[in-house]
Structures are given as C-alpha cells and as structure tokens.
Amino acid sequence: MKKIIILFIFTVTTLFSAMVQETKWPKGETFLTFLEKYSIPQSLYFELEKEDKELCSEITADRYYYLMENEDGTLNQVLIPVSEEIQLHIYKGSDDKYKFKTMPISYQEYTETIAIPIKTSVSDELQKATGSAALAAHLKAMFKASANFRRMQKNDFIAVKYTQKSLLGKPFGQPDIKAAMVEISGKKFYRIKNEKDDKYYDEKGKAFTKTYFFKIPLTYKRISSPFTKKRWHPVLKRYRAHLGTDFAAPRGRKIYAAGDGRIEFIGRRGGYGKTIIIRHPNGYKTLYAHQNKFRGGLKRGSRVKRGQHIGYVGNTGLSSGPHLHLGLYKNGRAVNPMKVIRKPETKGLKGKNKKTFLANTKIIINKLNNEVESENRKSATRLDRLTSTSELNSNKDI
C-alpha cells in the first residue's frame, strides 16, 4: 500500500523537500528489474564495485523503500534500505545521468517501558500499543521454554522494556527487548537481558538463552573482504558496507553448513549468483554465495547438520574471483560472522557477575511491576468514571 509522505533527500548539490511514495519492495523484483522498469541503463549496476553489487542483492521483498517519480513517470530518485544502517540512493546528477551511492540511514532511537492488560491476544495488544509486529514474536520466543501463552486469561498483563529504532515516525528494524514480564493465569514470569553476554535470565539468574555456535564453513586461503557494517571511506568520500565475510579459496573447494538448520533458499540470487540460505535456531540465518554448484540432493526444506557438505566454491554472480561470501543474520539484522564463530562459550553467571546482575534485576522488576500497578490504577479510575456516569444517568428525572 502506498502512502504519500514528506521526505528531505540529499542530492549531490541540493537539499530539497519532495513528495515521495513509501511502498514495499515487490516479491520477485531485483535491482536489475527495477532499473529496467524505469529505463535506467543497467550499466549503472555493472559498473559498481563488488561490495556495492552485493549490497544490491540484500534488498528483500516487503521492505519499505522511498520513491519519487517525475510527472512523466520517470524516476527522479529512490532510497532503498538494505540494512538497519545503510540505504541505496539512485538519483539524477547535474549531467542528467543516473548516479548510485550508499548512505547511512538517519533514524531515531527510543527506549520505553509499557504495561498492557491482555484483552484479546498478546500480538494484537502489543501491535496496537507500539506499532511493532516484531515485538510480540520476540517476546513469545523469549518465554517459549516455560510460559504457555494459550493459558493467558483476560486481564493478565505483559510488561516490556525495549529499545526501538524509528524512521519517519514508524518502528524501523528489530526491537531490542531489555526486560519483560508476562502474567499467565495470575503467575508472573520474568526475562532480563544481561548486556555483558547478550543472554536472557530469569529473576533468579537462570539462563534461558541457548548458546548457538557456528563453524567456519570451508578451508580458506585468506579473508579477502571482512564484514563492514557502515564505514566512511576517507579517499572515496563515501560510505561503504559489506554485510558478510569473503573467504578466498580455489574453485571447487567444498563448502559446509556452518550450523544445524533447514534450507530456506537454494538457487540464483542476483549478484550473489548460486546461493544457499539456511535458517537456524534462535533467529539465525546463514547465506553462502557465489557457489560453483550445489551438492546433489539438496532442495528447499532440506535439513542439514553443522559440518555437512552443501556446495562448492565458485565465481558465479558478480564476483572478481573464486571465493565464498558468508552472510550471517540475527532476526533479520546482518551481524559479523567472525564474531559469532569465535565467540567463547560461557557456562552462565557466577560470583560477582551474578551478584551484580541480580541486584540490577530487582530494580528492573520493580520498574515493570510499577508499570503494571500504574496501568491497573488507570483502569480502575476509568471504571469508576463509567460507573459514576451510569449512576448519574439512572438518577435523572424522566
């Protein structure tokens, strides 16, 4: 659905206000088909550097982008987010030719604590209160091991403290839940995030986040291009991003699954060429691009084990030499694969770390419970007002 909004867009030489369309990227659309639709020379794409070509392959269906057309239907300019940090900008330059650049996304960020009595469902109530469809999914995943949401009764509560990016007044990207409480049939369950290890614990310090480890998926010569989320290049005078790690290796070398999971995609994917995407537990996905060929017998939906052979190093798509591009995503957010692969295993909170966490947890739980009490008082006040109004109306002379 299209919506007319006001955007301030930077061009090479001017800053101006323009009416643009906010719309979702269609399924099946690629960067090249988008250029073709607006009669933009495809050389714009083929002349890009490798990292920028790969960014064009990061465009996903149903992601909002921002488009401005001229009166004759030609493209004036467009902003296409490819991550929570970087967007693609196509615009007409002073020479009347289309230009391409990457630029950071200027978003706002806020943290709030909310308490909501459940009248219908957790998903409905949270989306109505916050505008975020993803928040409920994250909340349910956190309590999956111990709380049965189907047993939730009317007027049970949820309380959540979370941080959310905002773009143009709407939630943008994935929410980061700091703490949460759900009340189910009168019983309260808590989850508090420990920022030091990025795991969730209950009020007693029991861990509820399973550590998930990945292995490097091949024997490689060197890392030819590391993960770069958003970096200003001082020589080129522009932002660059590379949402994965490139491993240089000979053509035909075997590629293995980095972790247990199920194949979500297998086939060609834009500039990534022959690609496999595997969905893993805990919201992770891995992407293996530029393959020469896939191992026989694999298809969408196939289950794979960590270390299982899935394909061969190649040079398909837009690639300057044989290598594997490994992408890693957590709840849709690109993360550095090497940090997760190299992350040391921990066995939970101990000693001083546990004492500090439990002390902070008491403060957080009091805050959540105070929010619930405040909401209860508001509900009681509203009920008193309704009752008083009803009594006054019943006492009126007819």
Side-chain angles (χ1 to χ4, degrees):
M1 182 177 178
K2 295 182 178 180
K3 176 184 175 184
I4 302 300
I5 56 176
I6 298 292
L7 262 186
F8 290 98
I9 304 177
F10 284 95
T11 66
V12 174
T13 57
T14 60
L15 173 66
F16 61 94
S17 175
M19 298 299 291
V20 303
Q21 300 171 28
E22 179 193 52
T23 188
K24 287 185 177 181
W25 192 265
K27 290 183 179 179
E29 182 93 292
T30 67
F31 188 78
L32 285 173
T33 58
F34 177 84
L35 296 181
E36 184 179 5
K37 181 165 61 177
Y38 284 99
S39 301
I40 299 172
Q42 296 199 348
S43 59
L44 177 75
Y45 173 74
F46 290 106
E47 291 172 359
L48 296 177
E49 294 185 24
K50 180 176 72 72
E51 287 83 1
D52 289 339
K53 289 172 183 174
E54 288 184 342
L55 283 180
C56 295
S57 298
E58 293 283 344
I59 304 172
T60 56
D62 293 333
R63 175 170 281 168
Y64 282 102
Y65 69 104
Y66 308 95
L67 175 76
M68 187 177 112
E69 296 177 339
N70 298 314
E71 291 183 1
D72 60 0
T74 58
L75 180 73
N76 184 295
Q77 55 186 309
V78 64
L79 287 170
I80 309 169
V82 292
S83 73
E84 293 188 11
E85 304 287 339
I86 287 288
Q87 58 191 342
L88 312 180
H89 187 197
I90 304 171
Y91 60 94
K92 267 196 174 181
S94 57
D95 57 0
D96 209 36
K97 293 182 179 180
Y98 285 103
K99 310 292 183 182
F100 174 99
K101 68 187 294 187
T102 56
M103 56 190 297
I105 296 173
S106 181
Y107 57 79
Q108 295 179 316
E109 194 171 75
Y110 59 91
T111 299
E112 67 175 354
T113 303
I114 59 171
I116 307 171
I118 301 303
K119 304 295 184 184
T120 55
S121 71
V122 172
S123 298
D124 288 344
E125 300 290 358
L126 268 178
Q127 184 156 6
K128 281 191 294 185
T130 67
S132 172
L135 193 57
H138 284 281
L139 185 76
K140 288 181 177 180
M142 288 167 54
F143 289 93
K144 185 178 180 181
S146 57
N148 185 354
F149 283 86
R150 293 181 180 178
R151 297 184 63 185
M152 184 169 275
Q153 299 177 355
K154 190 175 181 180
N155 290 326
D156 277 346
F157 264 86
I158 56 174
V160 186
K161 179 182 180 181
Y162 70 104
T163 297
Q164 175 70 62
K165 293 183 178 71
S166 173
L167 181 63
L168 301 173
K170 294 170 57 176
F172 173 72
Q174 297 296 319
D176 180 14
I177 296 178
K178 306 295 186 181
M181 183 280 290
V182 298
E183 182 183 351
I184 299 179
S185 300
K187 183 178 180 180
K188 293 181 178 180
F189 301 84
Y190 297 94
R191 295 290 181 271
I192 295 92
K193 186 176 186 179
N194 182 24
E195 299 293 346
K196 288 188 176 181
D197 62 10
D198 212 32
K199 292 183 181 180
Y200 288 101
Y201 298 82
D202 68 6
E203 71 277 16
K204 296 179 180 178
K206 180 181 177 182
F208 280 89
T209 301
K210 293 182 180 179
T211 304
Y212 196 75
F213 296 101
F214 295 93
K215 64 177 292 183
I216 294 176
L218 80 169
T219 303
Y220 63 96
K221 290 182 177 179
R222 60 189 174 86
I223 293 177
S224 54
S225 185
F227 178 92
T228 307
K229 197 171 188 180
K230 181 183 69 175
R231 180 171 63 89
W232 174 254
H233 196 289
V235 177
L236 299 177
K237 304 294 183 184
R238 67 182 184 89
Y239 284 92
R240 300 187 69 180
H242 184 238
L243 303 181
T245 300
D246 286 356
F247 299 94
R251 185 192 305 272
R253 179 157 290 176
K254 289 184 177 180
I255 299 168
Y256 304 93
D260 299 346
R262 187 186 293 271
I263 293 178
E264 181 179 276
F265 175 87
I266 181 167
R268 284 193 170 268
R269 186 184 173 96
Y272 280 143
K274 291 184 177 179
T275 301
I276 290 177
I277 298 175
I278 300 175
R279 180 187 293 273
H280 306 279
N282 297 334
Y284 283 107
K285 288 184 185 180
T286 48
L287 177 148
Y288 312 77
H290 305 302
Q291 295 188 48
N292 183 49
K293 63 178 180 177
F294 308 127
R295 197 210 73 183
L298 295 179
K299 61 182 181 179
R300 183 179 177 182
S302 295
R303 287 191 175 276
V304 292
K305 293 288 187 180
R306 179 166 48 198
Q308 180 179 328
H309 176 211
I310 59 172
Y312 302 85
V313 171
N315 196 29
T316 58
L318 290 154
S319 170
S320 56
H323 72 282
L324 171 69
H325 172 91
L326 175 66
L328 177 65
Y329 304 85
K330 171 70 171 176
N331 295 324
R333 183 186 294 116
V335 296
N336 188 345
M338 302 309 290
K339 284 190 175 180
V340 175
I341 288 171
R342 294 174 176 173
K343 187 176 181 180
E345 185 170 2
T346 57
K347 295 182 179 180
L349 298 174
K350 291 182 179 179
K352 186 177 180 181
N353 287 337
K354 186 173 182 178
K355 287 182 180 179
T356 301
F357 173 81
L358 292 178
N360 291 333
T361 294
K362 290 180 181 179
I363 298 171
I364 294 169
I365 287 177
N366 285 338
K367 171 71 173 174
L368 294 177
N369 288 332
N370 287 340
E371 289 291 330
V372 171
E373 288 301 319
S374 175
E375 188 60 34
N376 270 327
R377 287 193 294 271
K378 290 178 185 176
S379 297
T381 301
R382 286 193 293 267
L383 182 60
D384 287 343
R385 286 174 180 170
L386 287 172
T387 303
S388 298
T389 302
S390 177
E391 290 175 350
L392 284 171
N393 289 336
S394 65
N395 291 329
K396 285 182 179 179
D397 292 332
I398 301 176

